[in-house]
Amino acid sequence: MKKGHDIDLSPYQVRTDLALESHLMAVEQQGNIISGVEVDEQQLEGIHITKLYISTDEGARTLNKRKGNYLTFEAPGLKNHDSALQDEMTNVFAKEFKQYLQQLQIADNAKVLVIGLGNWNVTPDAVGPMVVENLLITRHLFELMPDQVEEGFRPVSALAPGVLGITGIETSEIVQGVVERSCPDLVIAIDALASRSLERVNSTIQVADTGIAPGSGIGNKRKALDKETLGVPVIAIGVPTVVDAVSITSDTIDYILKYMGNQMDIRNPFGKPSKNPKHREKFLGLIGTLEEREKRQLIHEVLAPLGHNLIVTPKEVDTFIEDMANIIASGLNMALHHAVNDGNIESYTH
Amino acid sequence: MKKGHDIDLSPYQVRTDLALESHLMAVEQQGNIISGVEVDEQQLEGIHITKLYISTDEGARTLNKRKGNYLTFEAPGLKNHDSALQDEMTNVFAKEFKQYLQQLQIADNAKVLVIGLGNWNVTPDAVGPMVVENLLITRHLFELMPDQVEEGFRPVSALAPGVLGITGIETSEIVQGVVERSCPDLVIAIDALASRSLERVNSTIQVADTGIAPGSGIGNKRKALDKETLGVPVIAIGVPTVVDAVSITSDTIDYILKYMGNQMDIRNPFGKPSKNPKHREKFLGLIGTLEEREKRQLIHEVLAPLGHNLIVTPKEVDTFIEDMANIIASGLNMALHHAVNDGNIESYTH
Amino acid sequence: MKKGHDIDLSPYQVRTDLALESHLMAVEQQGNIISGVEVDEQQLEGIHITKLYISTDEGARTLNKRKGNYLTFEAPGLKNHDSALQDEMTNVFAKEFKQYLQQLQIADNAKVLVIGLGNWNVTPDAVGPMVVENLLITRHLFELMPDQVEEGFRPVSALAPGVLGITGIETSEIVQGVVERSCPDLVIAIDALASRSLERVNSTIQVADTGIAPGSGIGNKRKALDKETLGVPVIAIGVPTVVDAVSITSDTIDYILKYMGNQMDIRNPFGKPSKNPKHREKFLGLIGTLEEREKRQLIHEVLAPLGHNLIVTPKEVDTFIEDMANIIASGLNMALHHAVNDGNIESYTH
Amino acid sequence: MKKGHDIDLSPYQVRTDLALESHLMAVEQQGNIISGVEVDEQQLEGIHITKLYISTDEGARTLNKRKGNYLTFEAPGLKNHDSALQDEMTNVFAKEFKQYLQQLQIADNAKVLVIGLGNWNVTPDAVGPMVVENLLITRHLFELMPDQVEEGFRPVSALAPGVLGITGIETSEIVQGVVERSCPDLVIAIDALASRSLERVNSTIQVADTGIAPGSGIGNKRKALDKETLGVPVIAIGVPTVVDAVSITSDTIDYILKYMGNQMDIRNPFGKPSKNPKHREKFLGLIGTLEEREKRQLIHEVLAPLGHNLIVTPKEVDTFIEDMANIIASGLNMALHHAVNDGNIESYTH
């Protein structure tokens, strides 16, 4: 995973890069209305789309995410390696991403630089570089033989800059240097993310116009890839590929509670499984009485001495990563070049 | 992972391929003396060696493992990618494995066929094929130019037969066919295993003279690789590379109990953390009162609806697998060929 | 390349595994009618199909190839990475191969084992293993859940057995063992070949019902994969991926002669470039007077001292091999399973 | 190969990136003394070292190479995958490269950025990226934890920027951007080269302090990586990995002449094989009378219509490239960090 993640494992922080999950946690604690956050959901066949808009600083603080537009696609069925669903996800992603660009008033001929973040030697971190390998690259054609480029394409360039341990140079420094020299109008940065839920790993895509800010909670501005540092808009596309053992355990304890509540049909007045502390204590003892944050802190303290390698990924990681990278690469090829569509995408994507 | 594992996930079964872990669980339930099981432990610097001998059917039933000699190496430090420890592990493994062969009365010039089980396209399952790629192969030299083979080598051949989904043929059928044609005196089968503990994943090697019996609990004899099916002794070498989420959660709940017991200094008369059910209930409610088996069954029921992809591997899987495969390949090269040693191993291993 | 090739480089032998090229050479020396050899050619758009039938021992001796049916597809345009031509080649290959099976009276439901010969670590030798990775494997479904297999499929299994240096076991021994155990009705063996012409490298597919006989000139029966050794028909599919420097040089010298003849318009009475020895000597001195065989022997003697690494492949070998493997895998998937066709092949091929 | 090479195939130009070969050709035409070129040769066991200094513009024109210091290592035995020779080559390269840096007055603590040029998807072009993957990277340690870096290391960073077709951005633009941001004192650029001789392919390393100037004959300054464009010294390290068919053929024709001259013992008064045009014509007809340049132009014209894929590489390209990359990476690790030496290099190089 991203270097920042490894180092900055903050004990009290629930580990998620998905605004969607931050929102779910906030709702769990504060109820459905979160000030400064608007949510719009849509269910297509097999794909759940969530549009989440964090409009105020208060909303950003509550969710611990930057202000901006978050667009999330969830398709749990992707884990079954279902090629029809993959095609549908590709088309839906392409169509929605095109609209997203229009909504951000990115021109149709805006020059795009795609940055594939992450370490190609670490499979769960390789989704960014893998997308880059499959993109339709055209910038050099516009530069070298502008007369011969057909209608329906725009200048697209791409780079997988590697990670700090491989290059010795901050990713942001490399990207800044390349942006200055190659002058794109828009940067799209692809990265692997951490989710707090095994369910969402490798079946979810998040798009955000916030840029990417590793260690954002800490305020290390130097490392961010965003409009401020790069001078052009930065859209982040992320795929959760890992989850930490703390999250798995904590969620499972919650599931147990719900499950036992259901089994014994103990419900609150709204018909939902009881959150009554008495019930929680009955089933889970002292642990049941802990706040979410306290519980995770406890689990973290318990697991930490066992070693730091507690970030895990499903064992089918190779296929999952390849499938997700194909969806994003094909989707971007369609969204960025009008000449590329569902019918001819095979010829353009490797 | 091995096909058998995926399909045969038996709900009540603690998921471990390590005899060591089966033994630890039995000890936890029945105390230190398990009938029909002998254990001998040894601590080298950074490496823990356990020799476990299951001598009776009763012992085999208790541990749910075949009768035989199990030799296990644990070196948690391997996860730090420490090259000095890797070298030491290689040497210790080579030395012990040589003795193990002598103890089984395998002749010094016995012809060896190494089978690298598993799927090379699935990183946590690729340890077997990766070992095979790095072995010193000599059988063809003995066959084609016997006069030119120097002293200190023996005929070694190797095959990575792939998995059912890739070949359409049972691995055991392929291996049987090859054994019949190539007539080795001994088969060594390398495979990725499941552990019940994240700690042991990618830092443990298990050697067993029992052969490999996928779905052994179910009695599917046809698929086994053992002396009965192949006609020659079969030594299994395994590396745990995955763990299921049920185990992670269950173990964590146990750790929590111990941790809280320690924190509050509630101990039993022997000075160990209390296992008094009252204490367990205080901290963990009803869950604290469950038997190990009941608890895992509960967690399994809770997690199952979330999807079947609950077998996980550390995100650093690529490096870990490569390191373990190098240790085993180098160790086997030294153990099988007297002419190969610590000083010249670099020239022989890829 | 295949081990056999490396070792058996016979000095006087023109190095080609293509019956087509053997035939062209024979025609050059003996004229259009070769006794015991029938030829039928067909030109589709961009693809040249040659059907060559060696019916007698005399024909086999003349061409130094086994008796049997040879079907060759040449599409020089494939080197331009042209995806439309790739699709066409796939369809043409699938259609012709289906007919070829019918002509050989292979039943529609015959069980097929595909063997991917060659070394996956040597790019120009990896075409066989790469085809195997992309095949639609179904045998295990017929074995394990016969009721659930849909119409239009047949049992297909596959194996990439590796090469002698990797396994220590003769490929033929491995394949024999697997055939005995898995009982296919037909074996299809895919291999990389040597051509005598850079033009044909990576743009040609040869199909033959002769089996594969490495070192066939030498009579090493033990190593052959054919009906005699395996007990079932063996169809060989080969792609020339390498050429030796002797061939390149020798052909170029011939081209020079033709070219200079054209330039100076020196022609024989039939309007073709003159083969008059006087003209050859004028342009090429003593070398121009040599027989083909003598010339190659001379070049071989000249080059041999420079080292044995004189078998070369185009620098774009990685892409070429991948393209050819995709064509063959997709083509086989369509030819072997009636349910797979041009419209749905994407879902079935990796 | 490098994009520039593909496009700029100039018909009359002998295709070599090795100053050594340019010099040999010049000597062949003009005799041993080339104005403005100094040569010093040294033969170690199995390794031939040539130091070539082009001191004047005239020398540069004659050799068609930039002015500067060229250091070339030739070890034909490397093609035999001989691990002892590999170790020796590594040590010799490290020692000589260290001296070379001193001679250029590069300080011991100068910050170094290594650029791995070339396309990682094209095996014969992947030597640069492969070196980068195996370097000991330390710059980030100096930046993030300067107190903890031990003696004997210097800040080293590295980047494999990809090729124009993959990124859409000129390599030079990427490198300029990264140099500006990361401020190294020295750039070392590794690249695959073209040789005119199969003998030198994959067994030769050239070091030059001239920078890298693709299409240097054409004067496309924008694309160069040199002191002028980057503002810091640029040392180029190159490995010839390909050769064009024109060179192979042309050289073979020359070899034939020498060979036949030897056979017939026709020698010039100095005891060397005769270059008397009469003799050349006798053996090779009109072709024997052509100047080197004319002959290559003829061969080029003859071969061009057969397709443009006439740049070839030995079929063992995968192993050769890996071996050469290991030698350079290990050699650089030793030369750049005093703390790394023959005894501990295994721990530092992947």
Side-chain angles (χ1 to χ4, degrees):
Chain A
M1 272 314 347
K2 288 172 299 174
K3 214 71 187 176
H5 287 160
D6 282 354
I7 294 168
D8 302 333
L9 179 60
S10 168
Y12 290 88
Q13 197 92 32
V14 174
R15 177 141 171 174
T16 177
D17 295 318
L18 293 175
L20 185 82
E21 292 185 341
S22 298
H23 181 251
L24 286 175
M25 287 187 284
V27 166
E28 196 134 316
Q29 294 185 313
Q30 306 182 13
N32 274 326
I33 308 297
I34 307 292
S35 174
V37 180
E38 294 164 31
V39 180
D40 178 44
E41 295 184 71
Q42 196 181 343
Q43 180 70 36
L44 303 183
E45 207 182 326
I47 305 172
H48 191 83
I49 302 178
T50 306
K51 291 173 186 172
L52 194 146
Y53 176 46
I54 305 181
S55 57
T56 67
D57 289 338
E58 189 193 351
R61 267 194 309 276
T62 311
L63 266 53
N64 194 28
K65 290 277 167 281
R66 291 183 162 204
K67 280 194 290 187
N69 290 285
Y70 295 84
L71 171 62
T72 313
F73 305 82
E74 293 171 274
L78 287 177
K79 292 189 183 174
N80 302 327
H81 205 50
D82 168 352
S83 63
L85 182 57
Q86 285 169 14
D87 287 350
E88 199 198 331
M89 182 75 157
T90 305
N91 290 327
V92 168
F93 172 75
K95 183 167 150 277
E96 292 285 337
F97 191 77
K98 215 180 226 176
Q99 282 178 14
Y100 189 87
L101 292 181
Q102 283 163 355
Q103 188 185 324
L104 296 178
Q105 298 184 303
I106 307 289
D108 262 21
N109 61 353
K111 290 177 284 178
V112 176
L113 168 62
V114 182
I115 299 293
L117 297 167
N119 187 343
W120 45 80
N121 293 324
V122 175
T123 307
D125 200 24
V127 69
M130 221 181 274
V131 168
V132 160
E133 286 275 328
N134 288 299
L135 284 179
L136 177 55
I137 300 302
T138 52
R139 179 182 177 273
H140 56 308
L141 306 177
F142 281 88
E143 298 278 318
L144 299 178
M145 42 183 94
D147 303 341
Q148 293 173 39
V149 184
E150 292 168 34
E151 281 294 304
F153 294 93
R154 75 164 89 205
V156 172
S157 55
L159 188 74
V163 294
L164 192 57
I166 286 181
T167 62
I169 309 170
E170 293 284 356
T171 300
S172 56
E173 291 177 308
I174 297 175
V175 177
Q176 281 169 23
V178 173
V179 165
E180 275 160 25
R181 284 278 159 181
S182 67
C183 306
D185 301 315
L186 169 71
V187 166
I188 298 175
I190 324 275
D191 202 3
L193 305 177
S195 166
R196 56 163 277 177
S197 152
L198 260 181
E199 285 172 275
R200 289 197 188 83
V201 163
N202 296 325
S203 62
T204 305
I205 301 172
Q206 173 178 277
V207 177
D209 60 356
T210 56
I212 281 190
S216 60
I218 302 163
N220 189 340
K221 279 294 177 200
R222 187 175 53 90
K223 292 183 189 167
L225 296 183
D226 56 19
K227 184 160 189 179
E228 203 177 318
T229 58
L230 298 184
V232 295
V234 178
I235 296 177
I237 299 180
V239 176
T241 64
V242 297
V243 59
D244 73 4
V246 173
S247 285
I248 295 176
T249 310
S250 178
D251 282 4
T252 306
I253 288 174
D254 290 349
Y255 289 134
I256 290 172
L257 188 77
K258 284 184 200 158
Y259 180 85
M260 292 177 81
N262 282 334
Q263 293 289 322
M264 302 188 184
D265 209 24
I266 298 173
R267 292 178 175 275
N268 64 23
F270 308 103
K272 296 226 170 151
S274 167
K275 286 184 190 161
N276 184 321
K278 286 284 180 213
H279 296 152
R280 295 184 71 101
E281 187 170 355
K282 180 173 168 57
F283 300 134
L284 284 167
L286 284 181
I287 292 184
T289 67
L290 298 176
E291 290 284 306
E292 178 70 19
R293 174 175 296 194
E294 293 167 337
K295 188 183 64 186
R296 285 178 180 257
Q297 175 63 13
L298 169 63
I299 297 172
H300 176 79
E301 281 176 23
V302 165
L303 290 179
L306 306 181
H308 59 287
N309 298 311
L310 293 163
I311 313 299
V312 298
T313 191
K315 76 174 171 55
E316 303 86 350
V317 59
D318 306 80
T319 318
F320 289 166
I321 296 289
E322 203 183 314
D323 287 350
M324 295 308 286
N326 277 337
I327 288 169
I328 295 175
S330 299
L332 283 180
N333 286 344
M334 287 197 259
L336 297 179
H337 305 290
H338 295 322
V340 181
N341 56 49
D342 194 20
N344 62 15
I345 180 68
E346 291 296 339
S347 330
Y348 289 111
T349 307
H350 183 245
Chain B
M1 273 313 347
K2 290 172 296 176
K3 213 70 188 178
H5 287 160
D6 284 355
I7 294 167
D8 303 333
L9 178 60
S10 166
Y12 290 90
Q13 196 93 30
V14 173
R15 175 139 171 174
T16 177
D17 295 319
L18 294 174
L20 184 82
E21 293 186 341
S22 298
H23 181 249
L24 286 176
M25 286 187 285
V27 165
E28 196 134 317
Q29 292 185 316
Q30 306 181 14
N32 274 326
I33 308 298
I34 309 292
S35 173
V37 180
E38 292 165 31
V39 180
D40 177 44
E41 295 183 71
Q42 196 182 342
Q43 180 72 35
L44 302 183
E45 207 182 326
I47 305 172
H48 192 83
I49 302 178
T50 307
K51 291 174 186 171
L52 195 146
Y53 175 46
I54 305 181
S55 57
T56 67
D57 289 338
E58 188 193 351
R61 267 194 309 277
T62 311
L63 265 53
N64 193 30
K65 290 277 167 280
R66 291 184 161 203
K67 279 194 288 188
N69 290 286
Y70 295 84
L71 171 62
T72 313
F73 305 81
E74 294 171 274
L78 287 177
K79 293 190 184 172
N80 303 328
H81 204 52
D82 169 352
S83 64
L85 182 57
Q86 285 169 14
D87 287 350
E88 199 198 330
M89 181 77 156
T90 305
N91 290 327
V92 168
F93 172 75
K95 184 168 148 277
E96 292 285 338
F97 191 76
K98 216 180 227 174
Q99 283 178 13
Y100 189 86
L101 292 181
Q102 283 164 355
Q103 188 184 323
L104 297 179
Q105 298 184 301
I106 308 288
D108 262 20
N109 60 353
K111 289 177 284 176
V112 176
L113 168 62
V114 182
I115 299 293
L117 296 168
N119 186 343
W120 45 80
N121 293 324
V122 175
T123 307
D125 200 23
V127 68
M130 223 181 272
V131 168
V132 160
E133 286 275 328
N134 288 300
L135 284 179
L136 177 55
I137 301 301
T138 51
R139 179 181 177 274
H140 56 309
L141 307 177
F142 282 87
E143 297 278 319
L144 299 177
M145 41 184 95
D147 302 342
Q148 293 174 40
V149 184
E150 291 169 34
E151 281 294 304
F153 295 93
R154 75 163 90 204
V156 172
S157 56
L159 187 75
V163 294
L164 191 58
I166 286 180
T167 62
I169 310 171
E170 293 284 356
T171 300
S172 55
E173 291 177 308
I174 297 175
V175 177
Q176 281 170 21
V178 173
V179 165
E180 275 160 25
R181 285 277 158 183
S182 66
C183 306
D185 301 315
L186 170 70
V187 166
I188 298 176
I190 325 274
D191 202 3
L193 304 178
S195 166
R196 58 163 274 178
S197 152
L198 260 181
E199 284 173 277
R200 289 197 188 83
V201 162
N202 296 326
S203 62
T204 305
I205 300 173
Q206 173 177 276
V207 177
D209 61 356
T210 56
I212 281 191
S216 61
I218 302 163
N220 188 340
K221 279 292 177 201
R222 188 175 54 89
K223 291 183 190 168
L225 296 183
D226 56 19
K227 186 161 187 178
E228 203 176 320
T229 58
L230 298 185
V232 295
V234 178
I235 295 177
I237 299 180
V239 176
T241 64
V242 298
V243 58
D244 73 5
V246 173
S247 284
I248 295 177
T249 310
S250 178
D251 281 4
T252 306
I253 289 173
D254 289 350
Y255 289 134
I256 290 172
L257 188 77
K258 284 183 200 159
Y259 180 85
M260 291 176 82
N262 282 335
Q263 292 289 322
M264 302 187 185
D265 208 24
I266 298 173
R267 292 177 177 275
N268 65 23
F270 306 103
K272 296 225 170 151
S274 167
K275 285 184 189 162
N276 183 322
K278 287 285 181 211
H279 296 153
R280 295 183 72 100
E281 186 170 356
K282 181 174 167 59
F283 300 134
L284 284 166
L286 285 181
I287 291 184
T289 67
L290 298 176
E291 289 284 306
E292 179 69 20
R293 174 175 295 194
E294 292 166 338
K295 188 182 64 188
R296 285 178 181 258
Q297 175 64 13
L298 169 64
I299 297 172
H300 177 79
E301 282 175 23
V302 165
L303 290 180
L306 305 181
H308 61 287
N309 298 311
L310 293 164
I311 312 300
V312 298
T313 190
K315 77 174 170 54
E316 302 86 350
V317 59
D318 305 81
T319 317
F320 288 166
I321 297 288
E322 205 183 313
D323 288 350
M324 295 308 287
N326 277 336
I327 288 168
I328 295 175
S330 299
L332 283 180
N333 286 344
M334 287 197 260
L336 297 179
H337 305 290
H338 294 323
V340 181
N341 55 50
D342 195 20
N344 60 16
I345 180 68
E346 292 294 340
S347 329
Y348 289 111
T349 306
H350 183 246
Chain C
M1 271 315 346
K2 290 173 296 175
K3 214 71 186 176
H5 288 161
D6 283 355
I7 294 168
D8 303 333
L9 179 59
S10 166
Y12 290 88
Q13 197 92 30
V14 174
R15 178 144 172 168
T16 177
D17 295 318
L18 294 175
L20 184 82
E21 292 185 341
S22 298
H23 181 250
L24 286 176
M25 286 186 285
V27 165
E28 196 134 316
Q29 293 185 313
Q30 306 181 13
N32 274 325
I33 308 299
I34 308 290
S35 172
V37 180
E38 292 165 32
V39 180
D40 178 45
E41 295 183 71
Q42 196 181 343
Q43 179 71 35
L44 302 182
E45 208 182 325
I47 305 173
H48 192 83
I49 303 178
T50 307
K51 290 173 186 171
L52 194 145
Y53 176 45
I54 305 181
S55 56
T56 67
D57 289 339
E58 188 194 350
R61 266 194 309 277
T62 310
L63 265 53
N64 194 28
K65 290 276 166 281
R66 289 184 162 204
K67 278 193 290 185
N69 291 285
Y70 295 84
L71 172 61
T72 313
F73 304 82
E74 293 170 274
L78 287 176
K79 293 191 183 173
N80 303 327
H81 205 50
D82 169 353
S83 64
L85 182 58
Q86 285 169 13
D87 287 350
E88 199 199 330
M89 182 76 157
T90 305
N91 290 326
V92 167
F93 172 73
K95 185 168 148 277
E96 292 285 337
F97 192 77
K98 216 180 226 174
Q99 282 178 14
Y100 189 87
L101 292 181
Q102 283 164 356
Q103 187 185 324
L104 297 179
Q105 298 184 302
I106 307 289
D108 263 20
N109 60 353
K111 289 178 285 177
V112 176
L113 168 62
V114 182
I115 299 293
L117 297 168
N119 187 342
W120 45 80
N121 293 324
V122 175
T123 307
D125 200 25
V127 68
M130 222 181 272
V131 168
V132 160
E133 286 275 327
N134 288 299
L135 284 179
L136 177 55
I137 301 301
T138 51
R139 179 181 176 274
H140 57 307
L141 306 177
F142 281 88
E143 299 277 319
L144 300 178
M145 42 185 92
D147 303 341
Q148 293 173 42
V149 184
E150 292 169 34
E151 281 294 305
F153 294 93
R154 76 163 88 204
V156 172
S157 55
L159 187 75
V163 293
L164 191 58
I166 286 180
T167 62
I169 309 171
E170 293 283 356
T171 300
S172 55
E173 290 178 308
I174 297 175
V175 176
Q176 281 170 22
V178 172
V179 165
E180 274 160 25
R181 283 279 158 181
S182 67
C183 307
D185 301 315
L186 170 70
V187 166
I188 298 176
I190 325 275
D191 201 3
L193 305 178
S195 166
R196 56 162 277 177
S197 151
L198 260 181
E199 286 172 276
R200 289 198 187 81
V201 163
N202 296 325
S203 63
T204 305
I205 301 173
Q206 173 177 277
V207 177
D209 60 357
T210 56
I212 281 190
S216 60
I218 302 164
N220 188 340
K221 280 291 176 200
R222 187 174 52 91
K223 292 182 189 169
L225 296 182
D226 55 20
K227 186 161 188 180
E228 201 176 321
T229 58
L230 298 184
V232 295
V234 178
I235 295 177
I237 300 181
V239 176
T241 64
V242 297
V243 59
D244 72 6
V246 174
S247 285
I248 295 177
T249 310
S250 177
D251 282 4
T252 306
I253 289 174
D254 291 348
Y255 289 134
I256 291 173
L257 188 77
K258 284 185 201 157
Y259 179 85
M260 291 177 81
N262 282 335
Q263 292 289 321
M264 302 190 186
D265 208 25
I266 298 174
R267 294 179 176 273
N268 64 23
F270 307 104
K272 297 225 169 152
S274 166
K275 285 184 192 162
N276 184 320
K278 286 283 179 211
H279 297 151
R280 295 182 73 99
E281 187 170 356
K282 181 174 166 59
F283 300 134
L284 284 166
L286 285 181
I287 292 184
T289 66
L290 298 177
E291 289 285 306
E292 179 69 20
R293 174 175 296 193
E294 292 166 336
K295 187 182 64 186
R296 284 177 182 258
Q297 175 63 14
L298 169 64
I299 297 171
H300 177 78
E301 281 176 24
V302 165
L303 290 179
L306 306 181
H308 59 287
N309 297 310
L310 293 164
I311 312 299
V312 299
T313 191
K315 76 174 170 56
E316 302 87 349
V317 58
D318 305 80
T319 318
F320 287 166
I321 296 289
E322 204 181 315
D323 288 350
M324 295 308 288
N326 277 337
I327 287 168
I328 295 175
S330 299
L332 283 180
N333 286 344
M334 288 198 258
L336 296 180
H337 305 292
H338 295 322
V340 181
N341 55 48
D342 194 22
N344 62 15
I345 180 69
E346 292 295 340
S347 330
Y348 289 111
T349 307
H350 183 247
Chain D
M1 271 315 348
K2 291 173 296 174
K3 214 69 187 179
H5 288 163
D6 283 353
I7 293 168
D8 303 333
L9 178 59
S10 167
Y12 291 88
Q13 199 92 31
V14 174
R15 177 141 171 172
T16 177
D17 295 318
L18 293 175
L20 184 82
E21 292 185 341
S22 298
H23 181 250
L24 286 176
M25 287 187 283
V27 165
E28 195 134 317
Q29 293 185 314
Q30 307 181 13
N32 274 325
I33 308 299
I34 308 291
S35 173
V37 180
E38 292 165 33
V39 180
D40 178 44
E41 295 182 72
Q42 195 181 344
Q43 180 70 35
L44 302 182
E45 207 182 327
I47 305 172
H48 192 83
I49 303 179
T50 307
K51 290 173 185 170
L52 194 146
Y53 176 45
I54 305 181
S55 57
T56 66
D57 289 338
E58 189 193 350
R61 267 195 309 277
T62 310
L63 265 53
N64 194 29
K65 290 278 167 281
R66 289 184 163 205
K67 279 193 288 185
N69 290 286
Y70 296 84
L71 171 61
T72 314
F73 305 82
E74 294 171 273
L78 287 176
K79 293 190 183 173
N80 303 327
H81 204 52
D82 168 352
S83 63
L85 182 57
Q86 285 169 14
D87 287 351
E88 199 199 330
M89 181 77 157
T90 305
N91 290 327
V92 168
F93 172 74
K95 184 168 149 276
E96 293 285 337
F97 191 77
K98 215 179 228 175
Q99 282 178 13
Y100 189 87
L101 292 181
Q102 283 164 355
Q103 187 185 326
L104 297 178
Q105 298 184 303
I106 308 289
D108 262 20
N109 60 353
K111 290 176 284 177
V112 176
L113 168 62
V114 182
I115 299 293
L117 297 167
N119 187 343
W120 44 81
N121 293 323
V122 175
T123 308
D125 199 26
V127 69
M130 222 180 272
V131 168
V132 160
E133 287 276 328
N134 288 300
L135 284 179
L136 177 55
I137 301 301
T138 51
R139 179 180 177 273
H140 57 308
L141 307 176
F142 281 87
E143 299 278 319
L144 299 177
M145 42 184 92
D147 302 342
Q148 293 174 41
V149 184
E150 291 168 35
E151 281 294 304
F153 294 93
R154 76 164 88 205
V156 172
S157 55
L159 187 75
V163 293
L164 191 58
I166 285 180
T167 62
I169 309 170
E170 293 283 356
T171 299
S172 56
E173 290 178 309
I174 297 175
V175 177
Q176 281 170 21
V178 172
V179 165
E180 275 161 24
R181 285 278 159 182
S182 67
C183 307
D185 301 316
L186 170 71
V187 167
I188 298 176
I190 324 274
D191 202 3
L193 305 178
S195 166
R196 55 163 277 178
S197 152
L198 261 180
E199 285 173 277
R200 290 197 188 83
V201 163
N202 296 326
S203 62
T204 306
I205 300 174
Q206 173 178 277
V207 177
D209 61 356
T210 56
I212 281 191
S216 61
I218 302 163
N220 189 340
K221 279 294 175 199
R222 188 174 52 90
K223 292 181 188 170
L225 296 183
D226 56 20
K227 185 160 188 180
E228 201 176 321
T229 58
L230 298 183
V232 294
V234 178
I235 295 177
I237 299 181
V239 176
T241 64
V242 297
V243 59
D244 72 5
V246 173
S247 285
I248 295 177
T249 309
S250 177
D251 281 4
T252 306
I253 289 174
D254 290 349
Y255 289 134
I256 290 172
L257 188 76
K258 285 183 201 159
Y259 180 85
M260 293 176 81
N262 282 335
Q263 293 289 323
M264 303 188 186
D265 208 24
I266 298 174
R267 292 179 176 274
N268 64 23
F270 306 104
K272 297 224 170 154
S274 167
K275 285 184 189 161
N276 183 322
K278 286 285 178 210
H279 297 152
R280 295 184 72 100
E281 187 170 356
K282 180 174 167 59
F283 300 134
L284 284 166
L286 286 181
I287 292 184
T289 67
L290 298 176
E291 289 285 306
E292 179 69 21
R293 173 174 296 194
E294 292 166 337
K295 187 182 63 186
R296 285 177 181 258
Q297 175 64 11
L298 169 65
I299 296 171
H300 177 78
E301 281 175 25
V302 166
L303 290 179
L306 307 181
H308 59 288
N309 298 310
L310 293 165
I311 312 300
V312 298
T313 192
K315 76 175 169 54
E316 302 87 350
V317 59
D318 305 81
T319 318
F320 287 166
I321 296 288
E322 205 183 313
D323 287 350
M324 295 307 288
N326 277 337
I327 288 169
I328 295 175
S330 299
L332 284 180
N333 287 344
M334 287 198 258
L336 297 179
H337 305 291
H338 295 321
V340 182
N341 55 50
D342 194 22
N344 61 14
I345 180 69
E346 291 295 340
S347 331
Y348 288 112
T349 306
H350 183 247

